[in-house]
Amino acid sequence: MTVRGRPGVPLRDDLALRAGYHSPQVDVEVRLNTNESPLPPPDAWRRELEAEIATLDFHRYPDRQATALRAALAESHGVGVEEVFCANGSNEVLQCLLLAYGGPGRRAALFEPTYALHRHIAELTSTEVAEGWRTADFELDLAEVGRLLEDSGPVVTFLCSPNNPTGRAEAPEVVGAVLERAPGLLVVDEAYGQFAPASALELRSSGVTGAERLVVVRTFSKTWSMAACRLGYLVADPEVVEACTLAALPYHLDAVTQAAGRLALRYEAEMRARVALLTEERGRLAAALAGLAVQSWPSDANFILFRPLAHDARRVWEALLSRSVLVRDCSTWPGLEGCLRVTVGTPEENGRFLAALAEALDGKDGT
Ligand code: PMP
């Protein structure tokens, strides 16, 4: 075997400092760490997709504008096709937004603790981050929001609703109040939107003042049970869609993903049924957590944030792992000291998690 040297080419300074954003992908029986759906999409969808793949012109580039997919999404939201942009997961949608509107000398505002990728993508695109903080209960304080936005003049303001990893959705009045105070685009990341009681999409179509600056981002990774596909989209003013199209690489969205998303929309009722089941399970998990020695926060999503009261969170995480249950360790994230996050799984998985947690909190293994 030839032993090669390392290239030794210095990394960009700002990247060298970055730890990345990774949840360990360990082999476990109960995987409740990345907020995926525990339930697969319908068999009928899979069959339709297979039939479509069989007729696909694999030697040709895909439709660069993803027209059929965007038209189907536009129809499902009652908006025009020119108001929809699609990309490889909502992370790529966010990246396109910041490539188009961020960059050196420009700022993006966000309110911690929130979805780590907002900051990560801002930094990757050399967009300065203006950081505000949520209250001790992880709510937005509109006075703090107003102060931050006035002081920093961000080109993009991020909200995450429901907020990952804390769980609560913002009330439409709160989103409206932030929109009033945001000088640039207000990007509402609704990755878990269908679990929540309200959406910024309704606010947008209500014609609220500033609606043309409101951008709503969604994904197929969670409620649509299609994390393997990498498909996300935004609904926004056509000018924003054009800007994102300029920032995306040519033919970035492959033909299989386009077909998968378009066909999935035929199974909206099945998606809603999965969401209903998981919402019910979320209630069961929340009630059970209330009876254990943990603090937990109300959730409008498919996960719950909790903090062991008398145990070290990392030790609890390890004790769960030793029982083949994987949750997300947020305990070292700023503002989330001592916290863990559990994704709502199937009834059986949730039962396994609760039993393992009860044992871990009993401290039988030194936790
Ligand atoms: N936004 C939020 C709030 C998320 O939690 C996630 C997934 N963890 C994403 C966006 C990215 O999802 P995807 O790229 O799979 O669409």
Side-chain angles (χ1 to χ4, degrees):
M1 191 178 84
T2 323
V3 179
R4 299 209 179 125
R6 318 274 315 260
V9 180
L11 196 57
R12 251 169 61 176
D13 291 344
D14 53 344
L15 272 191
L17 294 170
R18 294 217 52 88
Y21 174 79
H22 300 297
S23 188
Q25 286 201 311
V26 234
D27 203 12
V28 286
E29 286 162 21
V30 181
R31 181 179 303 282
L32 302 175
N33 65 330
T34 44
N35 299 343
E36 293 145 306
S37 171
L39 306 163
D43 285 344
W45 168 82
R46 199 181 283 268
R47 283 194 297 274
E48 278 198 83
L49 181 59
E50 278 163 10
E52 183 122 351
I53 289 173
T55 66
L56 227 160
D57 285 335
F58 272 97
H59 57 300
R60 298 291 182 196
Y61 281 116
D63 173 7
R64 189 165 170 174
Q65 305 295 335
T67 319
L69 169 62
R70 287 168 55 231
L73 278 165
E75 195 189 330
S76 80
H77 288 301
V79 300
V81 65
E82 67 287 354
E83 293 172 280
V84 180
F85 171 77
C86 295
N88 292 282
S90 49
N91 282 337
E92 197 193 22
V93 174
L94 298 169
Q95 188 184 55
C96 289
L97 276 167
L98 283 176
L99 284 172
Y101 291 101
R106 292 171 168 231
R107 287 194 195 102
L110 45 81
F111 300 91
E112 297 281 11
T114 191
Y115 181 46
L117 260 279
H118 294 166
R119 174 186 293 275
H120 182 81
I121 298 170
E123 290 176 354
L124 277 179
T125 56
S126 302
T127 310
E128 197 182 312
V129 174
E131 152 193 296
W133 282 86
R134 290 166 179 269
T135 65
D137 286 332
F138 304 130
E139 288 183 355
L140 287 176
D141 169 354
L142 287 177
E144 159 84 346
V145 171
R147 185 197 58 73
L148 182 80
L149 300 187
E150 192 167 323
D151 289 355
S152 60
V155 69
V156 170
T157 298
F158 284 111
L159 286 184
C160 185
S161 180
N163 189 43
N164 181 10
T166 61
R168 264 294 202 225
E170 307 301 345
E173 310 80 74
V174 172
V175 180
V178 178
L179 183 61
E180 253 174 48
R181 291 161 176 78
L185 297 178
L186 175 61
V187 176
V188 186
D189 181 341
E190 292 193 349
Y192 307 93
Q194 293 92 337
F195 290 107
S199 165
L201 286 168
E202 291 142 27
L203 192 68
R204 189 175 172 271
S205 55
S206 74
V208 67
T209 313
E212 67 286 355
R213 291 181 292 107
L214 184 56
V215 179
V216 184
V217 179
R218 291 214 161 175
T219 178
F220 279 72
S221 297
K222 318 290 180 180
T223 50
W224 288 100
S225 299
M226 285 167 58
C229 261
R230 312 304 300 125
L231 178 58
Y233 63 99
L234 61 71
V235 178
D237 189 89
E239 192 176 294
V240 175
V241 171
E242 276 169 37
C244 288
T245 308
L246 283 177
L249 292 173
Y251 311 112
H252 64 134
L253 196 62
D254 72 75
V256 175
T257 303
Q258 291 186 32
R262 179 169 47 75
L263 296 172
L265 295 173
R266 297 183 183 166
Y267 298 91
E268 182 165 349
E270 288 80 350
M271 180 274 280
R272 301 237 169 250
R274 290 194 302 274
V275 167
L277 185 136
L278 293 173
T279 307
E280 203 179 310
E281 275 302 296
R282 179 182 76 203
R284 194 171 76 84
L285 263 184
L289 286 172
L292 294 173
V294 299
Q295 178 182 12
S296 60
W297 285 269
S299 170
D300 296 307
N302 66 336
F303 54 83
I304 297 181
L305 187 76
F306 66 98
R307 175 188 281 146
L309 290 174
H311 294 77
D312 177 64
R314 184 70 191 179
R315 300 285 291 275
V316 173
W317 183 86
E318 284 164 0
L320 292 172
L321 190 59
S322 72
R323 291 165 176 83
S324 211
V325 175
L326 182 62
V327 299
R328 193 72 190 259
D329 180 5
C330 318
S331 62
T332 57
W333 300 0
L336 295 169
E337 291 74 17
C339 289
L340 302 174
R341 187 195 69 196
V342 60
T343 303
V344 179
T346 60
E348 198 214 332
E349 288 171 326
N350 299 332
R352 287 270 312 262
F353 160 72
L354 287 170
L357 181 63
E359 277 181 27
L361 296 175
D362 252 359
K364 288 202 188 99
D365 39 13
T367 49

